[in-house]
Amino acid sequence: MVVTGDRLSRMHFSLICDATGFVIKDLASTNGTFLNGRRIEQANVSNGDMIRAGFSVFEVRFDQKHSTK
């Protein structure tokens, strides 16, 4: 996904699915990546979590076939 906006790094964060579920990882961004208001380097992501990068905010929503619970 490509998102443009103020305070976003060119490569800001990655969101991947591994054996434990979905994982977000900050890619050494200048302004940081936040999960539910807390700055993270890497963290597991759950349904309903809020991701903030720069001035952009994303709400995580899984449909039933991709749910980790």
Side-chain angles (χ1 to χ4, degrees), residues 1-68:
M1 172 171 50
V2 176
V3 178
T4 59
D6 292 339
R7 300 180 60 147
L8 285 171
S9 297
R10 184 178 175 126
M11 299 289 286
H12 202 101
F13 67 85
S14 66
L15 184 61
I16 62 167
C17 183
D18 68 13
T20 65
F22 288 88
V23 177
I24 187 169
K25 182 177 181 181
D26 183 76
L27 301 177
S29 65
T30 302
N31 295 306
T33 299
F34 295 80
L35 182 65
N36 300 320
R38 187 180 58 121
R39 189 173 184 153
I40 57 97
E41 290 184 23
Q42 181 171 318
N44 291 329
V45 178
S46 299
N47 196 31
D49 282 350
M50 302 297 286
I51 298 168
R52 181 171 57 85
F55 292 125
S56 300
V57 179
F58 309 90
E59 182 176 1
V60 177
R61 288 285 173 202
F62 302 125
D63 63 23
Q64 288 183 343
K65 71 179 181 178
H66 292 101
S67 179
T68 59

